[in-house]
Amino acid sequence: GEDVEQSLFLSVREGDSSVINCTYTDSSSTYLYWYKQEPGAGLQLLTYIFSNMDMKQDQRLTVLLNKKDKHLSLRIADTQTGDSAIYFCALTDLTTDSWGKLQFGAGTQVVVTP
Amino acid sequence: DAGVTQSPTHLIKTRGQHVTLRCSPISGHKSVSWYQQVLGQGPQFIFQYYEKEERGRGNFPDRFSARQFPNYSSELNVNALLLGDSALYLCASSLATGGYEQYFGPGTRLTVT
């Protein structure tokens, strides 16, 4: 199985960039996702990257993937107070029987201060 | 289009009881997955269904079961509830299995006393 690790907490000033990091152990991860969860809510899909890509940019979000180091990051430019939430890294492995299974990290709590 | 819907929003049950949680996927989506999220942790995969067939099962006891109906909605059933079953139960829908984007509902908060 896969092990997905994230730092637990990140504090950032409004207007600065946030970088949330994720490391994983299984090199056969195929799709890698970032989800956002606000208090008392479900998970919102922010973006995802296929494992044959190094980078994906979507407005304020930039995803970087280093397959050699098994490291995924999410950069949020011009962080706003509305970005305060828990961010989850998640992976799927299309080489296993459970194609639809998302393996999540424990989440990174991002707090944006004015 | 409506997103993934789940019912009920909140539920309080007693140990030993049975619970049924319901999920309606996004229109056009044929796959539904269930996840359990214990407070302070990431979601854990329970089941995936596609075209009414089970396509994946996580490491959960047989007390957990699910099914998918012809309209692609789904039910998650948990028997003989334990205190440790208290969690947020999330349903996700996708077009199909295997690498497709999964969209989550708001979840059902289950409290077992």
Side-chain angles (χ1 to χ4, degrees):
Chain A
E2 299 189 30
D3 198 14
V4 184
E5 300 280 343
Q6 296 181 244
S7 53
L8 292 182
F9 184 80
L10 176 67
S11 179
V12 61
R13 285 185 178 273
E14 191 175 11
D16 288 351
S17 291
S18 311
V19 179
I20 308 165
N21 295 302
C22 172
T23 58
Y24 56 95
T25 56
D26 194 330
S27 58
S28 58
S29 298
T30 311
Y31 283 90
L32 303 102
Y33 303 80
W34 285 102
Y35 282 88
K36 175 184 179 183
Q37 187 175 38
E38 297 184 67
L43 274 67
Q44 175 191 353
L45 176 62
L46 292 177
T47 186
Y48 66 97
I49 190 168
F50 188 53
S51 59
N52 68 352
M53 299 169 65
D54 297 325
M55 186 182 85
K56 180 178 180 181
Q57 188 154 0
D58 185 1
Q59 299 182 337
R60 292 192 299 125
L61 305 178
T62 302
V63 180
L64 294 177
L65 175 60
N66 183 327
K67 285 191 69 176
K68 175 177 171 289
D69 294 339
K70 299 176 189 175
H71 182 265
L72 180 74
S73 67
L74 174 69
R75 178 178 178 270
I76 305 173
D78 187 24
T79 310
Q80 303 297 308
T81 54
D83 295 324
S84 292
I86 300 176
Y87 290 79
F88 290 96
C89 163
L91 320 169
T92 60
D93 176 5
L94 297 188
T95 64
T96 68
D97 292 337
S98 296
W99 283 17
K101 172 184 175 181
L102 287 173
Q103 180 85 18
F104 284 87
T108 299
Q109 170 111 43
V110 174
V111 174
V112 182
T113 57
Chain B
D1 277 343
V4 179
T5 59
Q6 292 186 243
S7 63
T9 306
H10 295 90
L11 204 52
I12 299 175
K13 290 286 190 178
T14 305
R15 275 176 298 177
Q17 286 188 316
H18 163 270
V19 69
T20 297
L21 310 180
R22 295 178 175 83
C23 171
S24 291
I26 293 169
S27 177
H29 284 192
K30 298 182 178 181
S31 179
V32 169
S33 298
W34 288 95
Y35 293 82
Q36 180 197 64
Q37 186 181 20
V38 173
L39 197 62
Q41 297 181 19
Q44 296 290 318
F45 174 77
I46 310 175
F47 287 110
Q48 185 185 50
Y49 277 77
Y50 175 65
E51 291 281 15
K52 303 184 290 293
E53 291 188 6
E54 183 183 302
R55 293 301 183 98
R57 173 184 282 255
N59 189 23
F60 280 80
D62 291 344
R63 299 185 296 108
F64 288 77
S65 64
R67 55 179 175 167
Q68 186 177 33
F69 299 100
N71 66 354
Y72 303 110
S73 66
S74 178
E75 282 183 355
L76 175 69
N77 295 284
V78 187
N79 292 324
L81 286 166
L82 303 174
L83 294 179
D85 295 331
S86 294
L88 180 68
Y89 288 85
L90 295 162
C91 172
S93 81
S94 58
L95 281 169
T97 63
Y100 287 87
E101 300 160 30
Q102 293 192 33
Y103 296 92
F104 283 80
T108 294
R109 173 71 63 188
L110 172 66
T111 302
V112 182
T113 62

